[in-house]
Amino acid sequence: VAADVEAFVRTPPAAPDVPVQTVSLVSALAATIALRSVRSTLEGFAGSGTAFDLEDLVLRAVGCALDDVPGVTELEGAPIALEVRPAQLVFDHIRRGSLAPLRARRLAAIAGKYDGSNQPAALSVRLLSEAAIRPVGMPLLPGRSLRLVLVAGPDAAEALLSFDAGRVDEDVAAALLTRVKMYLEAPLLLLA
């Protein structure tokens, strides 16, 4: 009878429980950013006795851009890591306050007095001064959703924004890079 046949048929063994690994797809967007206005602004600061560097303005531009771009839900308010040798410096709430505290913390990290390597951050920023090269691929650092690399020359910077396409929408990444470019090409917006 049917019940005897069904009882006789063995149930196939269960499939082994293999964890599913998600593979992140790292995508990248590039832009050329004019730096004449930034350089002029920095010269104006130096002429007034206040010294700031390109890194200070880039850090502020990235922080302001993150605040501006809707859809960066997992990154809103997330810290930004500035990659400096020998450490990394993690900043929160970059848009608030003046540039002086940002500069002081950055210089302390360079002097080795601060190491935020273990602090979480959603985005990392790296500045290179080799004006003759153009970044074409930069890996994401562990735990990061975005990495912005700028290679600054005297008049322009080549920017490459690498991002985890599984966590950050391409349109959001494009809007972020566009805002960073806008702020660096009109640096007085960073001071308002």
Side-chain angles (χ1 to χ4, degrees):
V1 294
D4 292 330
V5 173
E6 288 175 0
F8 180 75
V9 176
R10 295 182 186 216
T11 7
D17 191 17
V18 178
V20 177
Q21 293 182 349
T22 57
V23 177
S24 293
L25 174 63
V26 176
S27 297
L29 299 169
T32 300
I33 301 171
L35 293 181
R36 287 181 289 283
S37 294
V38 166
R39 300 282 188 205
S40 176
T41 300
L42 291 172
E43 287 173 12
F45 280 135
S48 70
T50 305
F52 291 107
D53 293 326
L54 180 61
E55 291 87 352
D56 302 318
L57 293 182
V58 167
L59 189 59
R60 176 63 69 95
V62 171
C64 290
L66 271 176
D67 285 350
D68 291 350
V69 175
V72 194
T73 54
E74 70 188 34
L75 303 176
E76 287 177 24
I80 298 169
L82 180 64
E83 299 172 32
V84 293
R85 302 285 181 219
Q88 97 177 339
L89 181 56
V90 178
F91 291 92
D92 285 320
H93 311 295
I94 291 176
R95 182 172 253 175
R96 298 181 198 137
S98 70
L99 284 171
L102 293 176
R103 177 177 173 74
R105 289 187 60 206
R106 185 179 63 78
L107 293 176
I110 291 170
K113 297 176 184 170
Y114 176 87
D115 180 8
S117 298
N118 295 326
Q119 291 182 347
L123 175 138
S124 59
V125 179
R126 177 84 170 119
L127 269 73
L128 302 171
S129 58
E130 300 297 327
I133 65 168
R134 173 176 279 154
V136 293
M138 297 300 284
L140 289 176
L141 299 178
R144 305 288 194 261
S145 296
L146 298 149
R147 186 178 192 200
L148 177 65
V149 176
L150 283 150
V151 181
D155 295 324
E158 296 296 330
L160 182 71
L161 178 66
S162 302
F163 61 97
D164 181 343
R167 297 179 69 196
V168 178
D169 185 71
E170 186 177 78
D171 291 336
V172 170
L176 182 66
L177 185 56
T178 300
R179 294 298 286 184
V180 169
K181 177 179 169 65
M182 181 209 61
Y183 279 118
L184 290 176
E185 289 181 346
L188 293 180
L189 294 171
L190 298 172
L191 307 176

